[in-house]
Amino acid sequence: MKILSPIDKAEEAAPLAEAGADELYGGYVSRRWAKKFSLMGSPNHRYFPNAQVSALSDLKKIIRGARAGGARFFLAMNAPYYSQGQYALLLDDADDALSAGADAIIAADLGLILRLRERFPKLEVHLSTLGAVFNSMTPKFFRKLDVSRFVLPRELTVSESAEIIGNNPGSSFDAFIFIGKCPNVESFCGFTHNNPNLVWPCEEEYEIRAVRGDDRAKEIIEAQSGWSRINRRQACGLCAVKGLLDAGVYSLKIVGRGGPMAMKVGSVRAVKDALALILSGASEKELAEFSRKKYRETFGADCNPYVCYFPSDCNWARSISAAPNFIRS
Amino acid sequence: MKGNRKLYLAYYAQSVAAIKRAAASIAEINWVCDSVQPSPAGRSRFPLYRTGERVIRKNNPIRIYFGAEFCQWRLPSPKALFNALAAAKKIGSPFTLLTPWVTDAGIDKLRKLFSVLKDEAPDSEVVINDLGALVLLRDEFPGLAPSLGRVLIRQRRCPRVPAMMDNLPSEGREIYMRTGAEDPLSARLMRRYGIRRVELDYPLQGLETDLGAAKLKASLYTPYAFVTLTRHCPASFDGRTWQAFNRSGCKIKGCVKNILELRNSAHEAPLLMRGNAQFVASRAASGQGPALPDGIDRIVFMEDAP
């Protein structure tokens, strides 16, 4: 099982590889793209500068660094869709990245995948989580386009993931494991993510009232309000590593493009340690104890259902009351 | 385009009873359409565009939309679908089944519903919001006509967008005004799956889509534009986890009885949340919108947030 980590800067490559990342991914907004479309027209679904490589020379350094550390590099080009005027430049930027040694492109838009296939017939294309693989039939649609690696959505249970993987032999699947949970389904979310404070509409505070309701309205409002009281970035699925390994997940994906290097490296180490624990023969109970301890060390708080990647699989989450009384840290 | 556009009407029914009530609602829609003018404030629950476009009603019965776009646990049972089809038939309406994104459990549910449709109303449309469901439809029910739903059609619908439009370069604006449905290359692939129609929203910042090159027709939903959805459905939260994740389904009933309004000063309009999905009320529906883009030939009216 591989570990797939975000990377934003060349100096991160060596520490990430050393910590245990087998694969790295990042976003690149060329100067010509930024000038024409601005970062709000980002080609890779991240709309803030820290999450972008902005010079081709830097992208080349990242790829060289990844290679030196024995890791592969994937370029994210996973905007939900593009305008007709964007495709030509997108393909030119892909060409530059591939010439620099990028191993694959992570894409979501059907138009881009079709054009990548035309221009780079042998290119390894991964379907982004925005491709919405929620069932065993969806990969069959993309297999016809020679896409054989899929990033599963954040909202699948371990058993649903296992069912999809089992029904699609010959394909590889990535599962999210650490950092960056989304309250909403990213594939279908129409919110913008460009607030300079990096607080997105799914987590900001609202004045919520029931314009129509029954006796459950208060608890529904409370459940929805929980997202503004927690830090959804502090997400974790380490307890599920054994289940995901058994399910046949190919790579464990860490979120966090644009985050500090220390957090990226710490995340890779946490996932690497959890994986090593299971491979050494530890029980799921031992893994759960390790995971909760690791969570506390990393984030300075206890985990809870809102930040759990697999809340319906977690026996411990079931045993506690969520009592969403969390403080954003 | 103004004047001679043909706009057909569809009624988004949220229950079998709503279809049965549709006759009265349709009469009201009729009044608005026949007036070919914006409806006076308070006169109608179905404010129409102010474009003066001719709406085709005579000899074209209003189409019924029925089903679930956002949550597989809200899909009707086969029996309820059977009853809905009978009710639509009684008022002479063609039928469109709305379907959501689905897990494998949802695929099983869809297979049963498509079987009912194939047997009882084989000329029906199916709004598809999951590419796996599209594969299922093409492979096992090729006679049913799919339309790509608004969950799958990418549009920038966030209520924060209008405030940022002035800061975008002209070429950057385009992505916020257009839709993911226009690409002719993607549309060519989709035609192999039987797609001839797409379902669109009218976002707060407006819509400038051009479906000519893609050779697609479009339906436009009003007044509620879809913004986002979640599997962490607050109505399914039981204090520990979200029942919407259960393979056997969500046992908490009555999620749609509650409609929340979420207000934030940075948003152009409040969000409305019903069940697991959030919406904004479309500006176009208030009669303030510009002429509709070419390719749109159907208006889908919602009495309520879906």
PDB file of all heavy atoms in Angstrom, chain A residues 40 81 115 130 135-136 155 160 163 183 190 204 209 211-212 318 322, chain B residues 102 104 154 160 175-176 183 227 230-231 239-240 247 259 261 267:
ATOM      1  N   MET A  40      -8.748  32.614  -9.610  1.00  0.00           N
ATOM      2  CA  MET A  40     -10.156  32.211  -9.468  1.00  0.00           C
ATOM      3  C   MET A  40     -10.588  31.295 -10.605  1.00  0.00           C
ATOM      4  O   MET A  40     -11.614  30.642 -10.519  1.00  0.00           O
ATOM      5  CB  MET A  40     -11.058  33.446  -9.422  1.00  0.00           C
ATOM      6  CG  MET A  40     -11.099  34.108  -8.061  1.00  0.00           C
ATOM      7  SD  MET A  40     -11.384  32.940  -6.726  1.00  0.00           S
ATOM      8  CE  MET A  40     -12.962  32.251  -7.213  1.00  0.00           C
ATOM      9  N   TYR A  81     -14.770  21.798 -14.254  1.00  0.00           N
ATOM     10  CA  TYR A  81     -14.947  21.921 -15.699  1.00  0.00           C
ATOM     11  C   TYR A  81     -14.144  23.113 -16.196  1.00  0.00           C
ATOM     12  O   TYR A  81     -13.669  23.922 -15.394  1.00  0.00           O
ATOM     13  CB  TYR A  81     -16.429  22.076 -16.087  1.00  0.00           C
ATOM     14  CG  TYR A  81     -17.107  23.350 -15.618  1.00  0.00           C
ATOM     15  CD1 TYR A  81     -17.283  24.424 -16.479  1.00  0.00           C
ATOM     16  CD2 TYR A  81     -17.573  23.458 -14.318  1.00  0.00           C
ATOM     17  CE1 TYR A  81     -17.916  25.597 -16.047  1.00  0.00           C
ATOM     18  CE2 TYR A  81     -18.199  24.621 -13.890  1.00  0.00           C
ATOM     19  CZ  TYR A  81     -18.367  25.687 -14.744  1.00  0.00           C
ATOM     20  OH  TYR A  81     -18.980  26.827 -14.310  1.00  0.00           O
ATOM     21  N   ARG A 115      -9.318  15.063 -24.253  1.00  0.00           N
ATOM     22  CA  ARG A 115      -8.247  15.768 -24.972  1.00  0.00           C
ATOM     23  C   ARG A 115      -6.865  15.246 -24.577  1.00  0.00           C
ATOM     24  O   ARG A 115      -5.952  15.180 -25.404  1.00  0.00           O
ATOM     25  CB  ARG A 115      -8.355  17.269 -24.714  1.00  0.00           C
ATOM     26  CG  ARG A 115      -9.506  17.911 -25.478  1.00  0.00           C
ATOM     27  CD  ARG A 115      -9.815  19.324 -24.994  1.00  0.00           C
ATOM     28  NE  ARG A 115     -10.820  19.982 -25.807  1.00  0.00           N
ATOM     29  CZ  ARG A 115     -12.138  19.826 -25.641  1.00  0.00           C
ATOM     30  NH1 ARG A 115     -12.599  19.039 -24.674  1.00  0.00           N
ATOM     31  NH2 ARG A 115     -12.995  20.444 -26.439  1.00  0.00           N
ATOM     32  N   LEU A 130     -13.284  14.323  -7.723  1.00  0.00           N
ATOM     33  CA  LEU A 130     -14.417  15.037  -8.315  1.00  0.00           C
ATOM     34  C   LEU A 130     -15.136  14.202  -9.373  1.00  0.00           C
ATOM     35  O   LEU A 130     -16.224  14.551  -9.816  1.00  0.00           O
ATOM     36  CB  LEU A 130     -13.962  16.362  -8.935  1.00  0.00           C
ATOM     37  CG  LEU A 130     -13.891  17.530  -7.969  1.00  0.00           C
ATOM     38  CD1 LEU A 130     -12.642  17.479  -7.121  1.00  0.00           C
ATOM     39  CD2 LEU A 130     -13.958  18.849  -8.699  1.00  0.00           C
ATOM     40  N   ASN A 135     -20.017   4.125  -6.860  1.00  0.00           N
ATOM     41  CA  ASN A 135     -20.523   2.757  -7.031  1.00  0.00           C
ATOM     42  C   ASN A 135     -19.649   1.994  -8.009  1.00  0.00           C
ATOM     43  O   ASN A 135     -18.756   2.571  -8.650  1.00  0.00           O
ATOM     44  CB  ASN A 135     -21.979   2.800  -7.504  1.00  0.00           C
ATOM     45  CG  ASN A 135     -22.127   3.611  -8.780  1.00  0.00           C
ATOM     46  OD1 ASN A 135     -21.596   3.233  -9.823  1.00  0.00           O
ATOM     47  ND2 ASN A 135     -22.798   4.762  -8.705  1.00  0.00           N
ATOM     48  N   SER A 136     -19.915   0.705  -8.135  1.00  0.00           N
ATOM     49  CA  SER A 136     -19.065  -0.171  -8.955  1.00  0.00           C
ATOM     50  C   SER A 136     -19.235   0.056 -10.447  1.00  0.00           C
ATOM     51  O   SER A 136     -18.403  -0.406 -11.239  1.00  0.00           O
ATOM     52  CB  SER A 136     -19.404  -1.632  -8.641  1.00  0.00           C
ATOM     53  OG  SER A 136     -19.156  -1.907  -7.285  1.00  0.00           O
ATOM     54  N   GLU A 155     -16.715  10.173   1.025  1.00  0.00           N
ATOM     55  CA  GLU A 155     -17.968   9.816   1.708  1.00  0.00           C
ATOM     56  C   GLU A 155     -18.342   8.346   1.576  1.00  0.00           C
ATOM     57  O   GLU A 155     -19.513   7.986   1.751  1.00  0.00           O
ATOM     58  CB  GLU A 155     -19.115  10.681   1.174  1.00  0.00           C
ATOM     59  CG  GLU A 155     -18.956  12.160   1.471  1.00  0.00           C
ATOM     60  CD  GLU A 155     -17.997  12.867   0.528  1.00  0.00           C
ATOM     61  OE1 GLU A 155     -17.638  12.263  -0.513  1.00  0.00           O
ATOM     62  OE2 GLU A 155     -17.598  14.006   0.827  1.00  0.00           O
ATOM     63  N   GLU A 160     -18.213  -0.167   1.426  1.00  0.00           N
ATOM     64  CA  GLU A 160     -18.592   0.303   0.079  1.00  0.00           C
ATOM     65  C   GLU A 160     -17.357   0.416  -0.817  1.00  0.00           C
ATOM     66  O   GLU A 160     -17.402   0.053  -2.007  1.00  0.00           O
ATOM     67  CB  GLU A 160     -19.296   1.662   0.181  1.00  0.00           C
ATOM     68  CG  GLU A 160     -20.724   1.568   0.720  1.00  0.00           C
ATOM     69  CD  GLU A 160     -21.316   2.919   1.110  1.00  0.00           C
ATOM     70  OE1 GLU A 160     -20.551   3.911   1.227  1.00  0.00           O
ATOM     71  OE2 GLU A 160     -22.535   2.972   1.322  1.00  0.00           O
ATOM     72  N   GLU A 163     -16.357  -3.024  -1.931  1.00  0.00           N
ATOM     73  CA  GLU A 163     -17.259  -3.554  -2.965  1.00  0.00           C
ATOM     74  C   GLU A 163     -16.878  -2.988  -4.344  1.00  0.00           C
ATOM     75  O   GLU A 163     -16.822  -3.730  -5.338  1.00  0.00           O
ATOM     76  CB  GLU A 163     -18.703  -3.174  -2.612  1.00  0.00           C
ATOM     77  CG  GLU A 163     -19.750  -3.966  -3.369  1.00  0.00           C
ATOM     78  CD  GLU A 163     -21.146  -3.752  -2.793  1.00  0.00           C
ATOM     79  OE1 GLU A 163     -21.295  -3.032  -1.789  1.00  0.00           O
ATOM     80  OE2 GLU A 163     -22.089  -4.313  -3.378  1.00  0.00           O
ATOM     81  N   PRO A 183     -17.313  18.801   4.560  1.00  0.00           N
ATOM     82  CA  PRO A 183     -18.689  18.560   5.024  1.00  0.00           C
ATOM     83  C   PRO A 183     -19.601  18.126   3.878  1.00  0.00           C
ATOM     84  O   PRO A 183     -20.502  17.314   4.056  1.00  0.00           O
ATOM     85  CB  PRO A 183     -19.115  19.922   5.566  1.00  0.00           C
ATOM     86  CG  PRO A 183     -17.843  20.614   5.899  1.00  0.00           C
ATOM     87  CD  PRO A 183     -16.849  20.146   4.881  1.00  0.00           C
ATOM     88  N   GLY A 190     -20.894  23.203  -5.229  1.00  0.00           N
ATOM     89  CA  GLY A 190     -20.808  24.428  -6.019  1.00  0.00           C
ATOM     90  C   GLY A 190     -20.255  25.613  -5.252  1.00  0.00           C
ATOM     91  O   GLY A 190     -20.222  26.727  -5.766  1.00  0.00           O
ATOM     92  N   GLU A 204     -18.081  28.108   7.473  1.00  0.00           N
ATOM     93  CA  GLU A 204     -18.237  29.412   8.123  1.00  0.00           C
ATOM     94  C   GLU A 204     -19.533  29.438   8.943  1.00  0.00           C
ATOM     95  O   GLU A 204     -20.393  28.563   8.816  1.00  0.00           O
ATOM     96  CB  GLU A 204     -18.189  30.541   7.092  1.00  0.00           C
ATOM     97  CG  GLU A 204     -19.233  30.493   6.030  1.00  0.00           C
ATOM     98  CD  GLU A 204     -18.940  31.489   4.894  1.00  0.00           C
ATOM     99  OE1 GLU A 204     -17.931  32.219   4.954  1.00  0.00           O
ATOM    100  OE2 GLU A 204     -19.731  31.526   3.954  1.00  0.00           O
ATOM    101  N   ARG A 209     -32.029  29.248  10.854  1.00  0.00           N
ATOM    102  CA  ARG A 209     -33.358  29.096  11.438  1.00  0.00           C
ATOM    103  C   ARG A 209     -34.168  28.164  10.554  1.00  0.00           C
ATOM    104  O   ARG A 209     -33.865  27.993   9.368  1.00  0.00           O
ATOM    105  CB  ARG A 209     -34.059  30.452  11.575  1.00  0.00           C
ATOM    106  CG  ARG A 209     -34.472  31.049  10.249  1.00  0.00           C
ATOM    107  CD  ARG A 209     -35.133  32.405  10.409  1.00  0.00           C
ATOM    108  NE  ARG A 209     -35.550  32.908   9.095  1.00  0.00           N
ATOM    109  CZ  ARG A 209     -36.802  32.905   8.657  1.00  0.00           C
ATOM    110  NH1 ARG A 209     -37.777  32.453   9.416  1.00  0.00           N
ATOM    111  NH2 ARG A 209     -37.098  33.359   7.453  1.00  0.00           N
ATOM    112  N   VAL A 211     -37.228  27.595   8.472  1.00  0.00           N
ATOM    113  CA  VAL A 211     -38.357  28.313   7.867  1.00  0.00           C
ATOM    114  C   VAL A 211     -39.584  27.401   7.816  1.00  0.00           C
ATOM    115  O   VAL A 211     -40.704  27.856   7.673  1.00  0.00           O
ATOM    116  CB  VAL A 211     -38.033  28.835   6.447  1.00  0.00           C
ATOM    117  CG1 VAL A 211     -37.036  29.952   6.521  1.00  0.00           C
ATOM    118  CG2 VAL A 211     -37.523  27.727   5.541  1.00  0.00           C
ATOM    119  N   ARG A 212     -39.310  26.128   7.940  1.00  0.00           N
ATOM    120  CA  ARG A 212     -40.393  25.167   8.139  1.00  0.00           C
ATOM    121  C   ARG A 212     -39.794  24.024   8.948  1.00  0.00           C
ATOM    122  O   ARG A 212     -38.666  23.614   8.697  1.00  0.00           O
ATOM    123  CB  ARG A 212     -40.892  24.627   6.800  1.00  0.00           C
ATOM    124  CG  ARG A 212     -42.169  23.813   6.937  1.00  0.00           C
ATOM    125  CD  ARG A 212     -42.571  23.183   5.620  1.00  0.00           C
ATOM    126  NE  ARG A 212     -42.528  24.146   4.530  1.00  0.00           N
ATOM    127  CZ  ARG A 212     -42.439  23.789   3.255  1.00  0.00           C
ATOM    128  NH1 ARG A 212     -42.372  22.520   2.915  1.00  0.00           N
ATOM    129  NH2 ARG A 212     -42.401  24.706   2.309  1.00  0.00           N
ATOM    130  N   ARG A 318     -19.171   5.522  17.624  1.00  0.00           N
ATOM    131  CA  ARG A 318     -20.536   5.125  17.968  1.00  0.00           C
ATOM    132  C   ARG A 318     -20.748   5.136  19.490  1.00  0.00           C
ATOM    133  O   ARG A 318     -21.862   5.305  19.955  1.00  0.00           O
ATOM    134  CB  ARG A 318     -20.805   3.705  17.462  1.00  0.00           C
ATOM    135  CG  ARG A 318     -21.026   3.613  15.981  1.00  0.00           C
ATOM    136  CD  ARG A 318     -21.165   2.144  15.599  1.00  0.00           C
ATOM    137  NE  ARG A 318     -21.190   1.983  14.167  1.00  0.00           N
ATOM    138  CZ  ARG A 318     -22.237   2.216  13.406  1.00  0.00           C
ATOM    139  NH1 ARG A 318     -23.343   2.640  13.965  1.00  0.00           N
ATOM    140  NH2 ARG A 318     -22.190   2.051  12.110  1.00  0.00           N
ATOM    141  N   ALA A 322     -21.588  12.751  20.324  1.00  0.00           N
ATOM    142  CA  ALA A 322     -20.827  13.724  19.533  1.00  0.00           C
ATOM    143  C   ALA A 322     -20.783  15.074  20.224  1.00  0.00           C
ATOM    144  O   ALA A 322     -19.778  15.747  20.203  1.00  0.00           O
ATOM    145  CB  ALA A 322     -21.449  13.887  18.155  1.00  0.00           C
TER     146      ALA A 322
ATOM    147  N   VAL B 102     -25.532   7.622  -6.509  1.00  0.00           N
ATOM    148  CA  VAL B 102     -25.862   6.387  -5.786  1.00  0.00           C
ATOM    149  C   VAL B 102     -24.630   5.556  -5.443  1.00  0.00           C
ATOM    150  O   VAL B 102     -23.655   5.524  -6.188  1.00  0.00           O
ATOM    151  CB  VAL B 102     -26.819   5.491  -6.619  1.00  0.00           C
ATOM    152  CG1 VAL B 102     -28.220   6.074  -6.641  1.00  0.00           C
ATOM    153  CG2 VAL B 102     -26.318   5.271  -8.035  1.00  0.00           C
ATOM    154  N   ASP B 104     -23.559   1.409  -4.381  1.00  0.00           N
ATOM    155  CA  ASP B 104     -24.035   0.143  -4.958  1.00  0.00           C
ATOM    156  C   ASP B 104     -25.430  -0.207  -4.456  1.00  0.00           C
ATOM    157  O   ASP B 104     -26.230  -0.795  -5.190  1.00  0.00           O
ATOM    158  CB  ASP B 104     -23.041  -0.983  -4.655  1.00  0.00           C
ATOM    159  CG  ASP B 104     -21.832  -0.938  -5.595  1.00  0.00           C
ATOM    160  OD1 ASP B 104     -21.986  -0.477  -6.740  1.00  0.00           O
ATOM    161  OD2 ASP B 104     -20.732  -1.354  -5.190  1.00  0.00           O
ATOM    162  N   ARG B 154     -21.745  20.603 -14.178  1.00  0.00           N
ATOM    163  CA  ARG B 154     -21.039  21.539 -13.315  1.00  0.00           C
ATOM    164  C   ARG B 154     -21.397  22.973 -13.663  1.00  0.00           C
ATOM    165  O   ARG B 154     -21.327  23.392 -14.803  1.00  0.00           O
ATOM    166  CB  ARG B 154     -19.530  21.326 -13.447  1.00  0.00           C
ATOM    167  CG  ARG B 154     -18.959  20.338 -12.451  1.00  0.00           C
ATOM    168  CD  ARG B 154     -19.433  18.904 -12.669  1.00  0.00           C
ATOM    169  NE  ARG B 154     -19.009  18.009 -11.627  1.00  0.00           N
ATOM    170  CZ  ARG B 154     -17.914  17.258 -11.696  1.00  0.00           C
ATOM    171  NH1 ARG B 154     -17.162  17.291 -12.751  1.00  0.00           N
ATOM    172  NH2 ARG B 154     -17.601  16.461 -10.705  1.00  0.00           N
ATOM    173  N   ARG B 160     -21.659  33.319  -3.134  1.00  0.00           N
ATOM    174  CA  ARG B 160     -20.564  34.282  -3.014  1.00  0.00           C
ATOM    175  C   ARG B 160     -20.101  34.792  -4.386  1.00  0.00           C
ATOM    176  O   ARG B 160     -19.379  35.784  -4.474  1.00  0.00           O
ATOM    177  CB  ARG B 160     -19.351  33.627  -2.350  1.00  0.00           C
ATOM    178  CG  ARG B 160     -19.413  33.599  -0.837  1.00  0.00           C
ATOM    179  CD  ARG B 160     -18.165  32.919  -0.295  1.00  0.00           C
ATOM    180  NE  ARG B 160     -18.108  32.988   1.151  1.00  0.00           N
ATOM    181  CZ  ARG B 160     -17.553  33.994   1.829  1.00  0.00           C
ATOM    182  NH1 ARG B 160     -17.028  35.003   1.181  1.00  0.00           N
ATOM    183  NH2 ARG B 160     -17.546  33.991   3.142  1.00  0.00           N
ATOM    184  N   ILE B 175     -15.848  31.173 -17.080  1.00  0.00           N
ATOM    185  CA  ILE B 175     -16.052  29.880 -16.401  1.00  0.00           C
ATOM    186  C   ILE B 175     -17.186  29.995 -15.377  1.00  0.00           C
ATOM    187  O   ILE B 175     -17.848  29.014 -15.059  1.00  0.00           O
ATOM    188  CB  ILE B 175     -14.736  29.386 -15.749  1.00  0.00           C
ATOM    189  CG1 ILE B 175     -14.812  27.896 -15.438  1.00  0.00           C
ATOM    190  CG2 ILE B 175     -14.376  30.154 -14.502  1.00  0.00           C
ATOM    191  CD1 ILE B 175     -14.727  27.012 -16.619  1.00  0.00           C
ATOM    192  N   TYR B 176     -17.417  31.207 -14.875  1.00  0.00           N
ATOM    193  CA  TYR B 176     -18.471  31.389 -13.877  1.00  0.00           C
ATOM    194  C   TYR B 176     -19.856  31.606 -14.503  1.00  0.00           C
ATOM    195  O   TYR B 176     -20.865  31.478 -13.840  1.00  0.00           O
ATOM    196  CB  TYR B 176     -18.123  32.558 -12.945  1.00  0.00           C
ATOM    197  CG  TYR B 176     -17.019  32.162 -11.991  1.00  0.00           C
ATOM    198  CD1 TYR B 176     -15.682  32.291 -12.355  1.00  0.00           C
ATOM    199  CD2 TYR B 176     -17.322  31.595 -10.759  1.00  0.00           C
ATOM    200  CE1 TYR B 176     -14.671  31.888 -11.503  1.00  0.00           C
ATOM    201  CE2 TYR B 176     -16.316  31.191  -9.904  1.00  0.00           C
ATOM    202  CZ  TYR B 176     -14.994  31.333 -10.278  1.00  0.00           C
ATOM    203  OH  TYR B 176     -13.998  30.916  -9.434  1.00  0.00           O
ATOM    204  N   ASP B 183     -19.184  21.494 -23.800  1.00  0.00           N
ATOM    205  CA  ASP B 183     -18.048  20.992 -24.561  1.00  0.00           C
ATOM    206  C   ASP B 183     -18.503  19.990 -25.631  1.00  0.00           C
ATOM    207  O   ASP B 183     -19.034  18.932 -25.313  1.00  0.00           O
ATOM    208  CB  ASP B 183     -17.060  20.320 -23.591  1.00  0.00           C
ATOM    209  CG  ASP B 183     -15.890  19.710 -24.331  1.00  0.00           C
ATOM    210  OD1 ASP B 183     -15.429  20.336 -25.305  1.00  0.00           O
ATOM    211  OD2 ASP B 183     -15.476  18.599 -23.969  1.00  0.00           O
ATOM    212  N   VAL B 227     -27.016  24.139  -5.008  1.00  0.00           N
ATOM    213  CA  VAL B 227     -25.685  24.671  -4.686  1.00  0.00           C
ATOM    214  C   VAL B 227     -24.722  23.568  -4.244  1.00  0.00           C
ATOM    215  O   VAL B 227     -23.624  23.427  -4.762  1.00  0.00           O
ATOM    216  CB  VAL B 227     -25.751  25.763  -3.592  1.00  0.00           C
ATOM    217  CG1 VAL B 227     -24.343  26.225  -3.210  1.00  0.00           C
ATOM    218  CG2 VAL B 227     -26.568  26.946  -4.070  1.00  0.00           C
ATOM    219  N   THR B 230     -24.570  16.953   0.693  1.00  0.00           N
ATOM    220  CA  THR B 230     -23.713  16.257   1.642  1.00  0.00           C
ATOM    221  C   THR B 230     -24.231  14.853   1.912  1.00  0.00           C
ATOM    222  O   THR B 230     -25.423  14.581   1.704  1.00  0.00           O
ATOM    223  CB  THR B 230     -23.640  17.036   2.978  1.00  0.00           C
ATOM    224  OG1 THR B 230     -22.791  16.339   3.891  1.00  0.00           O
ATOM    225  CG2 THR B 230     -25.019  17.169   3.631  1.00  0.00           C
ATOM    226  N   ARG B 231     -23.322  13.971   2.328  1.00  0.00           N
ATOM    227  CA  ARG B 231     -23.794  12.700   2.877  1.00  0.00           C
ATOM    228  C   ARG B 231     -23.908  12.822   4.402  1.00  0.00           C
ATOM    229  O   ARG B 231     -24.497  11.968   5.049  1.00  0.00           O
ATOM    230  CB  ARG B 231     -22.845  11.555   2.503  1.00  0.00           C
ATOM    231  CG  ARG B 231     -23.521  10.188   2.635  1.00  0.00           C
ATOM    232  CD  ARG B 231     -22.677   9.034   2.123  1.00  0.00           C
ATOM    233  NE  ARG B 231     -23.436   7.774   2.164  1.00  0.00           N
ATOM    234  CZ  ARG B 231     -22.939   6.585   1.891  1.00  0.00           C
ATOM    235  NH1 ARG B 231     -21.676   6.465   1.527  1.00  0.00           N
ATOM    236  NH2 ARG B 231     -23.679   5.506   1.974  1.00  0.00           N
ATOM    237  N   GLY B 239     -26.622  11.791  16.668  1.00  0.00           N
ATOM    238  CA  GLY B 239     -25.843  12.130  17.861  1.00  0.00           C
ATOM    239  C   GLY B 239     -24.477  11.468  17.854  1.00  0.00           C
ATOM    240  O   GLY B 239     -23.577  11.904  18.562  1.00  0.00           O
ATOM    241  N   ARG B 240     -24.314  10.415  17.077  1.00  0.00           N
ATOM    242  CA  ARG B 240     -23.025   9.714  16.992  1.00  0.00           C
ATOM    243  C   ARG B 240     -22.513   9.658  15.567  1.00  0.00           C
ATOM    244  O   ARG B 240     -21.341   9.868  15.307  1.00  0.00           O
ATOM    245  CB  ARG B 240     -23.163   8.295  17.541  1.00  0.00           C
ATOM    246  CG  ARG B 240     -23.494   8.240  19.014  1.00  0.00           C
ATOM    247  CD  ARG B 240     -23.664   6.800  19.462  1.00  0.00           C
ATOM    248  NE  ARG B 240     -24.004   6.731  20.872  1.00  0.00           N
ATOM    249  CZ  ARG B 240     -25.246   6.863  21.339  1.00  0.00           C
ATOM    250  NH1 ARG B 240     -26.247   7.061  20.497  1.00  0.00           N
ATOM    251  NH2 ARG B 240     -25.476   6.807  22.628  1.00  0.00           N
ATOM    252  N   ARG B 247     -25.800   1.182   4.937  1.00  0.00           N
ATOM    253  CA  ARG B 247     -26.085   0.472   3.688  1.00  0.00           C
ATOM    254  C   ARG B 247     -27.575   0.153   3.568  1.00  0.00           C
ATOM    255  O   ARG B 247     -28.139   0.125   2.478  1.00  0.00           O
ATOM    256  CB  ARG B 247     -25.272  -0.823   3.604  1.00  0.00           C
ATOM    257  CG  ARG B 247     -25.525  -1.458   2.249  1.00  0.00           C
ATOM    258  CD  ARG B 247     -24.774  -2.687   1.903  1.00  0.00           C
ATOM    259  NE  ARG B 247     -25.362  -3.172   0.648  1.00  0.00           N
ATOM    260  CZ  ARG B 247     -24.826  -3.047  -0.536  1.00  0.00           C
ATOM    261  NH1 ARG B 247     -23.664  -2.477  -0.669  1.00  0.00           N
ATOM    262  NH2 ARG B 247     -25.440  -3.488  -1.608  1.00  0.00           N
ATOM    263  N   ILE B 259     -37.056  22.695   6.582  1.00  0.00           N
ATOM    264  CA  ILE B 259     -36.290  23.520   5.644  1.00  0.00           C
ATOM    265  C   ILE B 259     -35.567  24.583   6.453  1.00  0.00           C
ATOM    266  O   ILE B 259     -36.193  25.353   7.193  1.00  0.00           O
ATOM    267  CB  ILE B 259     -37.189  24.183   4.585  1.00  0.00           C
ATOM    268  CG1 ILE B 259     -37.911  23.102   3.755  1.00  0.00           C
ATOM    269  CG2 ILE B 259     -36.359  25.078   3.668  1.00  0.00           C
ATOM    270  CD1 ILE B 259     -38.823  23.655   2.672  1.00  0.00           C
ATOM    271  N   GLU B 261     -32.946  27.871   6.774  1.00  0.00           N
ATOM    272  CA  GLU B 261     -32.394  29.022   6.069  1.00  0.00           C
ATOM    273  C   GLU B 261     -31.059  29.344   6.716  1.00  0.00           C
ATOM    274  O   GLU B 261     -30.985  29.509   7.935  1.00  0.00           O
ATOM    275  CB  GLU B 261     -33.344  30.209   6.178  1.00  0.00           C
ATOM    276  CG  GLU B 261     -32.855  31.442   5.431  1.00  0.00           C
ATOM    277  CD  GLU B 261     -33.718  32.653   5.746  1.00  0.00           C
ATOM    278  OE1 GLU B 261     -33.591  33.200   6.861  1.00  0.00           O
ATOM    279  OE2 GLU B 261     -34.511  33.030   4.877  1.00  0.00           O
ATOM    280  N   HIS B 267     -22.892  36.461   1.620  1.00  0.00           N
ATOM    281  CA  HIS B 267     -23.597  35.789   0.530  1.00  0.00           C
ATOM    282  C   HIS B 267     -24.636  36.706  -0.094  1.00  0.00           C
ATOM    283  O   HIS B 267     -25.326  37.451   0.610  1.00  0.00           O
ATOM    284  CB  HIS B 267     -24.286  34.518   1.033  1.00  0.00           C
ATOM    285  CG  HIS B 267     -23.325  33.459   1.458  1.00  0.00           C
ATOM    286  ND1 HIS B 267     -23.712  32.183   1.762  1.00  0.00           N
ATOM    287  CD2 HIS B 267     -21.983  33.479   1.621  1.00  0.00           C
ATOM    288  CE1 HIS B 267     -22.661  31.465   2.107  1.00  0.00           C
ATOM    289  NE2 HIS B 267     -21.603  32.229   2.035  1.00  0.00           N
TER     290      HIS B 267
END
